[in-house]
Amino acid sequence: MTFEHVFRLTMSGLTVGMIYALIALGYTMVYGVLEFINFAHGEIFTIGGYIAITTLVWAGVDSDTSAGVLIGYFIMAVAVSVLLTALLGWLVERIAYRPLRGASRIIPLLSAIGVSIFLQNLIILTWGPEAIVVPTAIVPSQVVVMFGVPIRVLALIIIGVSVVLMAILTYIIRSTRIGKAMRATSQDMEAAEMMGIETNRTIAFTFIIGSALAAIGGFLVAMYYGSLKFDTGFLYGLKAFTAAVLGGIGNIPGAVVGSLLLGLVENYGVGMKLGGLAWFFVAGLALGLYTQTIRVPGRRRRHIRDEIRTPAYERRIVNVYRFPIPNALKVALGPRTDALVSVSARHSLRLAAGNLFLAVMAILFFLNHDSQFATMWQHAISFSVLVLVLMFRPSGILGEHIQEKV
Amino acid sequence: MQEKTGVWATARRFFGRVPRWAYALAALALAISVPLLEQADLIQTVWLRLGIRSLVYVLLAMGLNVVMGETGLLNLGYIAFFAVGSYTTAIFSSPRLGYHVDFWILLLASTGLAMLAGLLIGLPTLRLRGDYLAIVTLGFGEITRITFNNWESVTNGPGGIPQIYRPMILGLKIDKPGEFYYLVLIFVVLVAIMLTNLKSSRVGRAWNALREDEIAAEHSGIHGTSLKLLSMVISAGIAGLAGCLFAYYQQFINPTYFEFLQSVLVVCMVVLGGMGSIPGAIAGAALLDALPEFIRQAFSRWLPDLLGEQTMDSLPVAVQNFFIEFDRYRMLIVGLVIVVMVIFRPEGILPDSLWRREVREEDPREVEKTRQKLFDFDEGHQDLEA
């Protein structure tokens, strides 16, 4: 495990992470305002990439085009794609989500799944089920050597463009009128409406910005990997959502932090020898033990105190609908165990299980320290991250920002 | 109340008077008649095979209906439990590892292992908010598929497991499609009866209460987590059962049968039929699985026979292509139908009365109906209503 190897993994992790961030911002902004997962966002991302590439091919760019003209074409393609995709995002919001505002939680999600299926099949019908390949002639193939590691210029461009876009987004949200409206709407929609903010227009604007960012992300992915398929967006969308949850849903800096972290974790996970990875588990174990031994006991004491205050008859009512077996076990163990099992001890049990898992993984990885994590498990890494985050810290690293419900 | 007139209202009243069990019996008679028709050479074997597949989907839709319709937990990785059942059967009843376990043991094992998987997935995740749960189950579903795809030593990876043995039941070898059809049908009927009884039991009512308002339900003494877990486990078990039957019937399985799209398809079936409604789940599954094939067959075979080739040729080419290549448009239309259903008729085609009331809460007619039922209000009490 040399420095060069780690640096290469870091750079590719950052590149992928930046792309995740462009998609995750759309997820997180929509979740912050409407509290629902825009399932169709991944497809919007794919469509953005498809439109940009089609525009480039249609404009007839080839290897003879000079660099300046090429850049002009790129900007044109991105502009076309951003415009059309933003329109699509707005349409989707207008047709499929707006009529459902205020419906029960599960219903807009179902509508979003419907839109996602629809868009995916629209891509198949329009562009065919095979992947479209970006003409290699137009992909910038220069390489820069940094610290003795060859890095593609395109990777640097992706990082740079993403940083610029995020700066623009931050400016919009921090310092413009519509950004202020967005923040107000995401804090409390009803109150914002009473203050004279047109929430419908604000939400539409959120969708438009999210779709535009996703379109640029789609274009960058297509350039970076050289091809795009109809189901690319599904996987990217899921990973970006994972990143958004990891950083704290609804939290815009959180989405970026989560995305970069996820990109790095994925690349380290696949690119490193298992011996190197084991240290991550050791770090996780240390963190878990700290939480379990130092932070939980105080909490547990408080919970038990609260539980004891609950009158016995209420506890008995709660027990009516429980499973007979745990109930019998609890009765056998005595009345106090109710507090232990139902709130705090279960929390500490979960932590203990997580720590055990981390310890076993660390030992396994140290034992097989020379072998490498297979690439085919790459997607499983991000799903596992998602599951673990939601199980142990659903509010993410930087905390979630969602509407306060009365 | 004023009786409505008109064709639609009259028809609705007439069909509303027919008791429920009569519809169930009619559907059962229709289902039983399919292999007999095939035996009499009135329909082709293709339809029988389609029927078996539809019945497996009916099982899946009924199972998902437990967790999604009754309890209101969106499970987007449902096909993972189906995969667990299928792979259990395939591994222990094929030359792959040389086992040949009895049908009944494998049926129990598939159901049990799927239930165990449901328990393991449900235990840590059921405390999450509704839409997070959807994403976590999606993640688990994908992890399951990736595991089956990569675990080459047991599952043979993407190559799949071929040559699954035919089941022997009571010394009878189930071999022909007709026999399989009845086998699956028996299980469908058993599961339907079980779920109908469960729905009106204390547990079923507690599930519905959790779906409608979790906090209120917990305050009336329902232990949310255990009941949610129970519904998750039961629905996983039904998927495992369906997986076992599917593996026996198909004789070959590989990970492409268990992709995310399949989960979504089952979700769509439940939504289309009506959340929380067992007849709805059955109708939704039959509709989504069999209808596209019907349309394709109708346009490539029956309509030309009926109208003659000339009339068919005179149709615009686009229309002809649309119906002949209906498979390509199938999912597109499914997506569209879901969006339209959710917006205009969220209660589904055969709605469950409770769910209907919940999604139509804002609808003035429903409000009026509920009020009539609750307070027996008539006109003239405007001041009280405010």
Side-chain angles (χ1 to χ4, degrees):
Chain A
M1 204 169 73
T2 55
F3 172 74
E4 278 81 17
H5 188 55
V6 174
F7 184 69
R8 188 182 296 129
L9 291 177
T10 311
M11 283 310 283
S12 72
L14 281 181
T15 315
V16 179
M18 283 295 181
I19 290 169
Y20 289 160
L22 288 183
I23 313 169
L25 284 170
Y27 273 115
T28 213
M29 284 193 296
V30 168
Y31 201 97
V33 176
L34 288 180
E35 268 189 63
F36 99 106
I37 301 169
N38 181 9
F39 229 86
H41 198 61
E43 272 63 48
I44 285 180
F45 154 85
T46 324
I47 289 181
Y50 265 100
I51 291 176
I53 300 303
T54 316
T55 318
L56 276 182
V57 172
W58 176 73
V61 182
D62 50 29
S63 50
D64 298 336
T65 325
S66 66
V69 181
L70 200 63
I71 290 174
Y73 273 130
F74 279 161
I75 291 174
M76 181 195 74
V78 168
V80 169
S81 147
V82 162
L83 278 180
L84 289 179
T85 315
L87 183 71
L88 180 70
W90 177 75
L91 270 180
V92 166
E93 194 270 337
R94 186 72 192 75
I95 295 170
Y97 303 152
R98 194 179 292 180
L100 298 173
R101 209 153 297 154
S104 79
R105 247 196 133 95
I106 202 168
I107 283 184
L109 192 59
L110 290 172
S111 176
I113 292 173
V115 173
S116 163
I117 301 173
F118 178 79
L119 290 181
Q120 212 174 61
N121 285 277
L122 200 66
I123 298 174
I124 298 181
L125 283 177
T126 322
W127 282 286
E130 280 84 39
I132 60 162
V133 180
V134 182
T136 41
I138 61 172
V139 180
S141 53
Q142 292 87 341
V143 165
V144 181
V145 178
M146 290 168 80
F147 304 107
V149 182
I151 305 280
R152 286 174 72 184
V153 173
L154 197 58
L156 297 179
I157 293 176
I158 288 176
I159 295 176
V161 167
S162 310
V163 169
V164 170
L165 287 175
M166 281 160 205
I168 295 174
L169 184 70
T170 315
Y171 170 74
I172 291 177
I173 288 177
R174 282 254 177 91
S175 325
T176 60
R177 234 177 122 74
I178 188 89
K180 209 170 179 180
M182 275 169 73
R183 276 182 290 148
T185 312
S186 79
Q187 208 169 48
D188 190 332
M189 204 191 296
E190 273 181 23
E193 208 155 325
M194 279 182 230
M195 297 294 138
I197 293 170
E198 285 199 42
T199 46
N200 272 337
R201 193 192 284 174
T202 315
I203 291 168
F205 184 73
T206 313
F207 272 86
I208 287 173
I209 288 197
S211 308
L213 287 176
I216 299 173
F219 176 63
L220 294 176
V221 162
M223 294 301 273
Y224 192 62
Y225 292 106
S227 71
L228 207 57
K229 216 180 157 198
F230 69 94
D231 59 356
T232 314
F234 168 66
L235 212 57
Y236 270 89
L238 257 181
K239 287 183 181 173
F241 181 76
T242 306
V245 172
L246 184 63
I249 195 104
N251 186 335
I252 288 174
V256 179
V257 170
S259 302
L260 294 181
L261 205 62
L262 189 70
L264 289 176
V265 165
E266 250 183 31
N267 273 279
Y268 288 148
V270 173
M272 272 193 184
K273 294 259 165 61
L274 293 190
L277 281 177
W279 290 107
F280 284 93
F281 288 104
V282 172
L285 186 63
L287 206 69
L289 284 177
Y290 161 75
T291 323
Q292 195 179 15
T293 49
I294 299 175
R295 289 190 51 190
V296 165
R299 211 189 265 177
R300 182 189 290 167
R301 271 197 300 279
R302 224 169 24 249
H303 273 305
I304 293 174
R305 213 174 53 219
D306 289 346
E307 276 298 311
I308 289 170
R309 283 206 205 113
T310 323
Y313 65 88
E314 271 187 25
R315 258 183 280 151
R316 218 168 295 136
I317 289 174
V318 168
N319 277 340
V320 168
Y321 272 100
R322 287 195 179 167
F323 283 156
I325 296 167
N327 206 5
L329 201 70
K330 240 180 265 172
V331 172
L333 288 173
R336 288 287 168 81
T337 50
D338 198 29
L340 282 171
V341 172
S342 65
V343 202
S344 46
R346 188 171 292 170
H347 181 76
S348 101
L349 272 179
R350 263 198 296 172
L351 263 172
N355 284 338
L356 189 68
F357 169 76
L358 289 172
V360 170
M361 289 306 275
I363 292 168
L364 275 181
F365 278 22
F366 275 128
L367 286 181
N368 307 314
H369 59 94
D370 257 346
S371 49
Q372 202 160 15
F373 208 62
T375 324
M376 56 190 181
W377 293 97
Q378 188 190 357
H379 304 317
I381 294 179
S382 57
F383 289 130
S384 313
V385 168
L386 175 69
V387 172
L388 288 177
V389 170
L390 284 181
M391 271 161 59
F392 293 108
R393 195 176 163 81
S395 59
I397 300 171
L398 298 188
E400 52 186 9
H401 282 219
I402 52 175
Q403 289 202 31
E404 293 152 23
K405 282 271 149 58
V406 187
Chain B
M1 264 206 299
Q2 182 81 35
E3 290 263 308
K4 281 185 197 157
T5 50
V7 180
W8 183 239
T10 316
R12 176 173 274 190
R13 221 168 17 248
F14 173 72
F15 285 111
R17 285 208 189 111
V18 180
R20 279 246 164 141
W21 53 264
Y23 285 119
L25 276 187
L28 188 62
L30 188 70
I32 288 177
S33 69
V34 172
L36 300 178
L37 289 177
E38 193 259 349
Q39 204 73 34
D41 263 345
L42 285 171
I43 54 173
Q44 288 149 331
T45 319
V46 186
W47 293 108
L48 196 56
R49 294 187 179 280
L50 185 68
I52 298 172
R53 210 182 64 187
S54 293
L55 283 180
V56 171
Y57 272 116
V58 165
L59 268 182
L60 282 177
M62 284 197 296
L64 184 64
N65 185 41
V66 171
V67 74
M68 190 176 128
E70 309 274 1
T71 326
L73 309 164
L74 185 50
N75 185 344
L76 287 181
Y78 190 59
I79 214 72
F81 305 126
F82 185 63
V84 169
S86 286
Y87 268 101
T88 311
T89 306
I91 289 166
F92 291 102
S93 178
S94 72
R96 169 95 189 123
L97 296 182
Y99 294 107
H100 191 168
V101 182
D102 186 54
F103 170 77
W104 293 109
I105 297 175
L106 271 187
L107 192 76
L108 285 181
S110 304
T111 316
L113 276 180
M115 282 172 133
L116 192 68
L119 189 74
L120 287 181
I121 291 173
L123 215 50
T125 55
L126 279 177
R127 282 157 195 279
L128 298 171
R129 281 203 297 262
D131 35 7
Y132 274 8
L133 183 78
I135 293 288
V136 171
T137 47
L138 200 170
F140 267 122
E142 285 296 294
I143 290 177
T144 312
R145 190 180 60 81
I146 293 172
T147 310
F148 283 133
N149 204 18
N150 293 346
W151 194 7
E152 300 245 344
S153 57
V154 176
T155 65
N156 196 20
I161 301 180
Q163 296 174 331
I164 299 165
Y165 300 123
R166 290 298 192 188
M168 294 279 283
I169 301 173
L170 308 173
L172 184 74
K173 192 169 186 186
I174 304 287
D175 206 2
K176 296 193 193 71
E179 295 165 353
F180 260 108
Y181 184 91
Y182 281 127
L183 178 68
V184 183
L185 187 64
I186 288 170
F187 280 104
V188 168
V189 172
L190 286 180
V191 168
I193 292 173
M194 183 191 93
L195 290 183
T196 316
N197 284 338
L198 202 62
K199 188 177 163 62
S200 50
S201 74
R202 200 175 68 160
V203 174
R205 279 178 282 132
W207 282 342
N208 287 347
L210 278 171
R211 179 188 69 196
E212 308 230 330
D213 191 333
E214 203 174 326
I215 297 171
E218 297 237 349
H219 277 258
S220 3
I222 293 170
H223 193 250
T225 313
S226 359
L227 275 157
K228 282 180 185 173
L229 203 58
L230 184 66
S231 87
M232 190 94 167
V233 167
I234 288 179
S235 93
I238 294 171
L241 174 78
C244 171
L245 297 173
F246 177 75
Y248 270 127
Y249 165 64
Q250 198 77 9
Q251 291 193 298
F252 166 75
I253 56 167
N254 70 2
T256 53
Y257 285 120
F258 311 112
E259 278 176 357
F260 172 64
L261 198 66
Q262 300 292 318
S263 292
V264 171
L265 203 61
V266 183
V267 168
C268 292
M269 287 166 182
V270 175
V271 176
L272 190 72
M275 302 241 288
S277 141
I278 294 166
I282 296 171
L287 218 61
L288 273 192
D289 192 54
L291 198 62
E293 192 64 24
F294 263 107
I295 291 175
R296 209 165 62 91
Q297 290 281 335
F299 269 81
S300 59
R301 197 163 293 156
W302 301 335
L303 266 190
D305 286 352
L306 207 67
L307 299 175
E309 292 286 336
Q310 278 79 31
T311 339
M312 282 304 286
D313 287 337
S314 64
L315 282 174
V317 181
V319 175
Q320 287 185 25
N321 281 345
F322 176 76
F323 285 107
I324 290 167
E325 298 175 356
F326 193 74
D327 254 13
R328 287 180 58 201
Y329 298 92
R330 179 175 158 223
M331 286 314 285
L332 187 84
I333 292 172
V334 166
L336 209 59
V337 163
I338 291 307
V339 176
V340 170
M341 280 296 277
V342 158
I343 292 174
F344 294 107
R345 201 181 156 84
E347 70 267 30
I349 46 176
L350 292 177
D352 172 59
S353 57
L354 257 177
W355 175 247
R356 182 198 166 89
R357 206 176 302 148
E358 199 193 340
V359 293
R360 292 278 181 201
E361 251 170 358
E362 312 287 326
D363 194 332
R365 283 170 301 173
E366 287 297 318
V367 172
E368 185 57 35
K369 225 187 253 174
T370 315
R371 186 174 295 156
Q372 293 267 347
K373 202 170 175 183
L374 285 179
F375 308 111
D376 208 16
F377 258 132
D378 277 330
E379 302 292 312
H381 286 280
Q382 300 292 331
D383 49 341
L384 278 178
E385 290 173 41

